[in-house]
Amino acid sequence: MDNGATPARTAPAAVIVAIDGPSGTGKSSTSKAVAAQLGLSYLDTGAQYRAMTWWMITNGVDVSDGAAVATAADKPVLVSGTDPAAPTITVDGADASGPIRTQEVTSKVSAVSAVPEVRTVVTELQRSIAAAAGNGIVVEGRDIGTTVLPDADVKIFLTASPEARAARRSGELKGKEATDVAATKDALVKRDAADSSRTTSPLAKAADAVEVDTTELTLQQVIECVVTLVEEKRAAK
């Protein structure tokens, strides 16, 4: 007998989304927007490596000395907030969201993140955060689909031409941190080479990742593309 009750809606299946790619491809903007639109948590893994780098610099660790960095890798306490509308990161309880975006940190983060002990500490933290996200999560970085979360439900690899990436990144820089597009392009290419050639968890596209070239796409088009891929996967679970 129909008692007039409205059938309970089934909650969407939790999904883990890995979005990888080099700087300037739209990873952060896309990841945050996708997470917000689909009600998922969000994690910027690059911010964690930047936070680790900032801690090393602040505490007088020579970041060019791999052994010194390795020894200190487990000392800082990193905490990442996963709200896509207001992601946060603290180091030893202090807000690090501003300091980690300086040019000094940017120029040294590749060296710090290449140290295996650093990657071990941060990768374990990333996996624990993803596992605790009951509603699912969008995790952005450089080795998420290949190393951190190889069993992610959806893997996206964003690319763009060096020129487009440099223009975008230059537009993000403000005040004394601003540089011209040519200098920014040179810095991006050098960081790509460093991140792609490191021995431990290099920047690479997972074999089963969907590659999206964002060079000629608007941010909204990229977001719509990724949302569609995630919704299709979620519907199939």
Side-chain angles (χ1 to χ4, degrees):
M1 183 177 70
D2 183 4
N3 60 9
T6 301
R9 289 187 176 183
T10 302
V15 288
I16 292 179
V17 183
I19 300 184
D20 290 309
S23 300
T25 55
K27 282 201 314 290
S28 293
S29 298
T30 298
S31 298
K32 284 186 280 191
V34 169
Q37 190 167 325
L38 297 178
L40 305 175
S41 296
Y42 160 76
L43 178 61
D44 176 1
T45 64
Q48 294 175 318
Y49 285 106
R50 284 175 171 273
M52 182 73 80
T53 303
W54 176 66
W55 186 93
M56 297 285 175
I57 294 170
T58 303
N59 286 274
V61 178
D62 180 359
V63 300
S64 65
D65 183 345
V69 172
T71 299
D74 61 351
K75 293 181 180 178
V77 178
L78 311 182
V79 177
S80 296
T82 58
D83 178 356
T88 59
I89 185 159
T90 63
V91 182
D92 295 341
D95 178 17
S97 56
I100 66 172
R101 301 297 173 182
T102 63
Q103 186 58 42
E104 182 179 22
V105 170
T106 298
S107 67
K108 296 177 177 179
V109 66
S110 287
V112 172
S113 61
V115 176
E117 288 81 359
V118 169
R119 299 206 74 83
T120 295
V121 169
V122 179
T123 294
E124 289 178 358
L125 176 60
Q126 292 162 359
R127 287 173 176 163
S128 67
I129 292 171
N135 57 333
I137 191 170
V138 177
V139 183
E140 62 144 308
R142 285 171 164 73
D143 65 339
I144 310 307
T146 54
T147 301
V148 180
L149 300 169
D151 296 325
D153 299 297
V154 181
K155 298 179 185 179
I156 310 290
F157 192 85
L158 299 184
T159 64
S161 70
E163 292 75 17
R165 292 166 51 212
R168 292 169 185 166
R169 182 47 56 93
S170 291
E172 295 171 359
L173 300 174
K174 299 177 181 178
K176 65 179 181 179
E177 297 292 347
T179 56
D180 61 48
V181 175
T184 302
K185 176 184 173 183
D186 183 57
L188 288 176
V189 170
K190 286 181 178 178
R191 185 172 178 193
D192 288 350
D195 290 350
S196 300
S197 61
R198 66 178 177 236
T199 303
T200 305
S201 302
L203 163 65
K205 174 190 171 186
D208 54 346
V210 176
E211 183 170 326
V212 179
D213 188 332
T214 70
T215 304
E216 302 295 335
L217 300 178
T218 64
L219 174 59
Q220 191 55 44
Q221 288 173 323
V222 178
I223 293 167
E224 290 173 358
C225 174
V226 176
V227 165
T228 298
L229 290 168
V230 176
E231 286 184 326
E232 288 175 350
K233 185 67 177 184
R234 190 153 66 174
K237 290 190 78 174

